[in-house]
Amino acid sequence: GQQVMQIPQYQHVQEGEDFTTYCNSSTTLSNIQWYKQRPGGHPVFLIQLVKSGEVKKQKRLTFQFGEAKKNSSLHITATQTTDVGTYFCAGTSGNTPLVFGKGTRLSVIA
Amino acid sequence: DADVTQTPRNRITKTGKRIMLECSQTKGHDRMYWYRQDPGLGLRLIYYSFDVKDINKGEISDGYSVSRQAQAKFSLSLESAIPNQTALYFCATSTAYLSGANVLTFGAGSRLTVL
């Protein structure tokens, strides 16, 4: 079945440093979504990418979808303590439920 | 009030007991899901339902059953709980329509501990 791999599992950064998490799928995706889960909270939707090579920005967050629609990345510029949490990518190949990566837990040291 | 409500939020039970986790939603979404979260393993799909009469197994359905009582209600049952079912359980909803298609809205989670 479809698998979604996400790296790194953990990332510790100093406040102000950049952060990137990467996601790779074993199959071509129809779309990929990103979610953020704050400590003690539930996953919250951030963004959905649909088109090959698509790039979307939300303030300091930049999301990319690969040309082959099998990989994606989330980059945070100049991290802040409010960025702490676990970031999940999730993809689907059609009318099937999302398959989640294992997530990247981000810690920001002030 | 939350769009997706899960009850109970926390539950401690003993091995062999039957447990039901309930989920209700006010978003009017047609699709509902149960996910399980364990540290380092991400979110794994247990069961999902695309409509009231539709029930599908997910990646890790063994030891679980579900019931879709109405469009707004989706419950997860553990017939005979075992310790390795100790985890955080999330209910989620989505719609197949409009621009928000397949975007998941999660409940706050139900933390289950099986002793």
Side-chain angles (χ1 to χ4, degrees):
Chain A
Q2 181 187 343
Q3 294 184 1
V4 176
M5 286 73 70
Q6 190 173 354
I7 57 169
Q9 188 174 3
Y10 302 97
Q11 186 79 57
H12 307 279
V13 299
Q14 289 284 141
E15 188 173 22
E17 291 181 341
D18 293 355
F19 159 77
T20 305
T21 174
Y22 301 91
C23 191
N24 282 283
S25 170
S26 58
T27 60
T28 301
L29 301 170
S30 56
N31 70 77
I32 194 159
Q33 300 178 15
W34 286 90
Y35 291 78
K36 177 182 179 180
Q37 183 178 21
R38 295 183 185 275
H42 58 277
V44 174
F45 172 75
L46 293 176
I47 207 159
Q48 177 170 255
L49 305 171
V50 178
K51 299 177 183 177
S52 170
E54 189 170 14
V55 179
K56 287 188 176 181
K57 293 188 176 184
Q58 290 180 350
K59 297 182 180 179
R60 295 177 295 102
L61 278 61
T62 301
F63 304 85
Q64 294 188 336
F65 200 11
E67 294 289 342
K69 300 184 75 173
K70 296 182 71 173
N71 60 76
S72 181
S73 65
L74 158 60
H75 179 81
I76 302 178
T77 302
T79 55
Q80 301 175 358
T81 54
T82 54
D83 296 324
V84 164
T86 301
Y87 293 85
F88 293 98
C89 61
T92 180
S93 300
N95 193 29
T96 55
L98 288 170
V99 175
F100 281 80
K102 294 183 178 180
T104 297
R105 181 186 294 180
L106 173 63
S107 299
V108 179
I109 305 166
Chain B
D1 288 341
D3 292 327
V4 182
T5 302
Q6 292 184 230
T7 56
R9 292 292 314 282
N10 287 283
R11 180 73 183 267
I12 300 173
T13 191
K14 294 182 179 180
T15 298
K17 294 291 187 181
R18 184 179 187 272
I19 295 298
M20 179 180 288
L21 306 180
E22 299 189 13
C23 178
S24 63
Q25 53 116 346
T26 58
K27 294 191 70 71
H29 285 172
D30 47 321
R31 301 181 170 192
M32 297 188 74
Y33 311 79
W34 276 103
Y35 284 91
R36 168 177 171 160
Q37 186 173 35
D38 299 276
L41 296 180
L43 293 154
R44 294 182 293 168
L45 183 63
I46 307 172
Y47 270 95
Y48 64 100
S49 170
F50 281 359
D51 202 343
V52 175
K53 296 181 180 179
D54 176 70
I55 299 290
N56 302 281
K57 292 182 177 181
E59 177 188 355
I60 54 164
S61 59
D62 287 350
Y64 301 95
S65 63
V66 291
S67 174
R68 185 84 184 262
Q69 302 95 322
Q71 186 189 37
K73 295 184 183 294
F74 193 37
S75 60
L76 176 71
S77 293
L78 289 68
E79 296 301 324
S80 180
I82 56 177
N84 75 1
Q85 291 178 313
T86 293
L88 182 57
Y89 292 85
F90 285 106
C91 174
T93 72
S94 72
T95 178
Y97 307 103
L98 305 177
S99 61
N102 293 322
V103 171
L104 297 178
T105 299
F106 284 85
S110 295
R111 185 168 296 281
L112 176 65
T113 302
V114 184
L115 302 176

